[in-house]
Amino acid sequence: MPEGPEIRIAADKIAKIIENQVIEDIDVGLPRLSAAALSLKGNVVTKVETRGKAMLIHFANGLTIYSHNQLYGVWRTCKRGNLPQTKRSLRLALHTSTHSALLYSASDIAVYERADLINHPFLQKIGPDILQKDIDWQTIALRLKAKRFCKRRLSILYLDQAFIAGIGNYLRTEILFAAGVHPDLKPKELSQEQIETLSKQTLIISKRAYSTKGYTLPDELRKQLKETKGSYESVRFMAFNREGLPCRECVSNIVKGLRNGRRIYWCEICQAVLN
């Protein structure tokens, strides 16, 4: 599933071609969107934004397209008339006079009056977006210590969009590794120093993944590993998807487990339960 940084990157690309532009034509692959498409055709897109893993495309007439990629959805952009070759099912296509924004494979798509978004079943439950401009580590620290969250294992908490929106499976692994905390610990079991470190790394790793298009390695290490000409996946992460490989910090093997039904990776030395 695409995580917050990937959705924000997609939104940036889409914004470049459709913001402040008239949507001349709309194609829909889901019949239930047909009536709404008629209300959007010929209108100007005023803003493209993300909230966690959801994307919102706002129109001048007060309507908004809500979409969530879930597991398989993917956005593509192209020059109009030059559609990509793919076996994916086209769900939504927004065409300006020169470009197209295309959503494939997703099914969670709907059109809302902007004022009604506050009542959306997903949007009304999510916490602050990890990539919003005004979020700081102190906000995250307060949420970690809040009664609602402090007694939950970090491996579970960090997938809960009500805690922080936009964090998913690979970010969960990478944040906990960077903070040096074990996935099975709970916020209430951490020292104040650990809470602060975890809060800061939550921001750092998430913003790094956005700015580098998916890399979570520290900048210097990322540059060094890129020179080895390794595959994208092999030089992308500190711990995620590296089961059995040496930890980049202490060279003991990275281990893999399942938490909340999702795979997670950690170093038993760098992230010992008792530090």
Side-chain angles (χ1 to χ4, degrees):
M1 178 185 293
E3 302 185 22
E6 287 71 37
I7 297 300
R8 179 66 65 86
I9 290 167
D12 290 345
K13 292 179 179 178
I14 293 166
K16 286 182 180 180
I17 65 169
I18 68 172
E19 269 190 359
N20 302 313
Q21 300 294 317
V22 174
I23 300 302
E24 294 188 347
D25 289 297
I26 300 178
D27 296 319
V28 295
L30 299 171
R32 57 183 170 77
L33 296 176
S34 298
L38 293 176
S39 301
L40 297 173
K41 185 177 178 180
N43 277 273
V44 173
V45 172
T46 57
K47 186 177 182 180
V48 180
E49 66 167 320
T50 60
R51 298 186 191 176
K53 301 177 186 180
M55 187 181 300
L56 302 174
I57 301 175
H58 302 294
F59 287 76
N61 65 351
L63 296 179
T64 295
I65 297 175
Y66 166 94
S67 67
H68 193 299
N69 284 23
Q70 298 176 306
L71 284 175
Y72 304 111
V74 60
W75 281 95
R76 295 283 186 264
T77 59
C78 64
K79 290 185 177 180
R80 186 169 181 177
N82 189 25
L83 298 182
Q85 296 295 317
T86 179
K87 295 182 180 179
R88 289 176 175 270
S89 298
L90 181 64
R91 302 302 195 190
L92 177 69
L94 304 176
H95 307 288
T96 70
S97 61
T98 58
H99 289 82
S100 299
L102 314 162
L103 178 55
Y104 292 96
S105 303
S107 58
D108 190 4
I109 313 168
V111 177
Y112 291 87
E113 292 283 350
R114 193 171 309 166
D116 293 337
L117 289 174
I118 192 172
N119 298 317
H120 188 278
F122 175 74
L123 297 179
Q124 68 177 343
K125 294 179 180 179
I126 62 175
D129 188 322
I130 189 58
L131 295 177
Q132 71 184 45
K133 292 182 179 179
D134 59 350
I135 191 172
D136 53 29
W137 71 264
Q138 291 91 341
T139 298
I140 299 171
L142 287 173
R143 295 182 75 78
L144 283 167
K145 293 188 288 186
K147 184 177 180 180
R148 179 183 177 188
F149 301 120
C150 71
K151 297 179 182 179
R152 301 175 62 189
R153 297 191 187 279
L154 292 168
S155 58
I156 296 174
L157 181 61
Y158 266 73
L159 289 184
D160 186 352
Q161 300 303 292
F163 169 58
I164 299 289
I167 295 175
N169 210 34
Y170 84 80
L171 283 177
R172 170 180 69 165
T173 285
E174 295 295 285
I175 289 167
L176 297 179
F177 178 86
V181 294
H182 194 279
D184 290 336
L185 290 174
K186 302 173 182 178
K188 71 173 187 175
E189 297 170 329
L190 303 180
S191 67
Q192 180 60 31
E193 181 180 358
Q194 287 176 309
I195 288 285
E196 291 186 9
T197 298
L198 178 55
S199 301
K200 291 174 182 178
Q201 290 299 329
T202 300
L203 268 182
I204 290 169
I205 299 300
S206 299
K207 290 185 176 182
R208 182 183 295 158
Y210 168 61
S211 65
T212 62
K213 295 182 171 59
Y215 291 87
T216 57
L217 303 174
D219 290 342
E220 191 59 36
L221 179 58
R222 175 170 54 86
K223 293 173 184 177
Q224 292 174 6
L225 290 177
K226 272 192 170 184
E227 293 178 358
T228 67
K229 307 299 182 183
S231 68
Y232 172 65
E233 289 298 329
S234 70
V235 300
R236 183 180 176 189
F237 300 122
M238 292 294 285
F240 188 78
N241 208 27
R242 301 192 70 244
E243 179 187 12
L245 295 175
C247 172
R248 300 192 194 277
E249 296 288 350
C250 74
V251 304
S252 62
N253 286 349
I254 295 293
V255 299
K256 174 185 176 183
L258 285 178
R259 300 292 188 276
N260 208 32
R262 307 287 297 281
R263 58 193 173 115
I264 188 170
Y265 304 80
W266 68 92
C267 173
E268 293 184 318
I269 303 300
C270 296
Q271 297 168 268
V273 175
L274 296 176
N275 288 323

